[in-house]
Amino acid sequence: MPQLSFIKPTGRVTLGNYIGALRHWKPSAGSVFAVADLHAITVAWAPDKLRESILEVAAVLAALDLHSEGGLVFLQSGVPTHSEMAWLLECMARMGEMSRMTQFKAAGRNDGSVSVGFFAYPILMAADILLYDAEGVPVGEDQKQHVELTRDLALRVNNLYGPIFTVPEPVIPAVGARIMSLKTPTAKMSKSQDDPDGTVLLLDGADEIRRKVLGAVTDSGREVYFDPEEKPGISNLLEIAAGLSGESREAWAERYRTAGYGTFKRAVAEVVVEETSVVRTRTTALLDHPEELNAILRDGQERALVRSSPKVRALKNAIGYPLAD
Ligand code: AMP
């Protein structure tokens, strides 16, 4: 089944993004990998930072060759069918069902300053999914409710107008590696820059990676073994090493059990440097040659528009717009 994944450009790309998500993504005919930049403006943003983040995320997707094999890589903001479909679906969604979205209830319900886009974004997400006839959508638990909304909207349209949409299923991936901050190994490594030394960025240079990994907090004791309760720092480093090398946490722990924390950390730092070097070099080269990246994105957005337009036309036609065909 071709994959459909959107990544929101709300900061720099981290080693956590790479190990937990990006490195598992593979292109195939029909796959869709988009920079969800329309989703990035539902909360306050700074134009310069947004631009930088969009280009970095796009360059990483292209560096991973996700536009090969017939796969699509594009900026959501460059493909107008997303906004157009979102509007059509907004007029079919109900305030009641939208007000029940737990993410909105948690973050926006009692805050009059929250944007209308923040309230409506699950419908944009439904548009992103329904435009491409995605059958399975990989999402975390927190987004499952939004895929259920997508199903409800698809069924509502199909019942009214005939089989226009494929009704998608949420696919909750088996729990993968969760990479924690190097400085606070009980908190997730995240894109927010509050924790610069705890977060390895995919584009950090080799020396910066070594500095951060060698500066990771460790735990009491001297032995290296996996036990997130007792040894959160060491366990996180084992998770990172295993996530990148393909060798198990146990194999790493076995090899470094009595080697001392310093030796272990140096080995982990080298794996991070080596295993990210190809994607880092390619991404940097694309950012240094914007014409090449722009060409990939323009080609992606043209193909995305061609692929998604018939769905918008079909719905507009069914709704009653005379010139939609
Ligand atoms: P985000 O934009 O932070 O929601 O992350 C995008 C993707 O990267 C999600 O699919 C996450 O599963 C993955 N991801 C982000 N941070 C981490 C982390 N610290 N460990 C593992 N995966 C992560």
Side-chain angles (χ1 to χ4, degrees), residues 7-8 10 14 16-17 20-21 177-180 188-191:
I7 179 161
K8 202 158 71 163
T10 45
T14 70
N17 295 136
R178 188 156 181 263
I179 305 303
M180 313 306 272
K188 202 173 117 174
M189 183 182 284
S190 90
K191 287 172 175 172

Side-chain angles (χ1 to χ4, degrees), residues 142-163:
D142 59 334
Q143 295 289 323
K144 200 170 155 211
Q145 194 186 26
H146 297 155
V147 180
E148 272 149 19
L149 172 76
T150 307
R151 289 173 58 81
D152 290 345
L153 291 172
L155 288 167
R156 194 169 304 160
V157 167
N158 290 352
N159 285 336
L160 283 169
Y161 305 116

Side-chain angles (χ1 to χ4, degrees), residues 214-228:
L214 295 179
V217 300
T218 42
D219 315 295
S220 55
R222 299 175 46 88
E223 284 196 20
V224 172
Y225 57 90
F226 188 78
D227 182 340

Side-chain angles (χ1 to χ4, degrees), residues 239-263:
E239 196 79 81
I240 291 173
L244 288 170
S245 65
E247 255 185 304
S248 68
R249 297 185 302 230
E250 290 68 29
W252 274 86
E254 193 58 40
R255 188 164 343 122
Y256 289 96
R257 188 160 189 115
T258 56
Y261 286 167
T263 304

Side-chain angles (χ1 to χ4, degrees), residues 59-71:
V60 173
L61 298 181
L64 292 169
D65 265 339
L66 296 176
H67 56 298
S68 63
E69 317 271 332

Side-chain angles (χ1 to χ4, degrees), residues 48-93:
D48 286 350
K49 292 261 177 250
L50 178 63
R51 192 174 294 116
E52 204 176 77
S53 180
I54 291 171
L55 289 175
E56 182 171 312
V57 173
V60 173
L61 298 181
L64 292 169
D65 265 339
L66 296 176
H67 56 298
S68 63
E69 317 271 332
L72 289 175
V73 167
F74 61 92
L75 308 185
Q76 183 192 28
S77 62
V79 184
T81 42
H82 289 255
S83 320
E84 195 176 9
M85 181 61 92
W87 175 257
L88 299 176
L89 295 174
E90 270 171 47
C91 295
M92 306 201 195

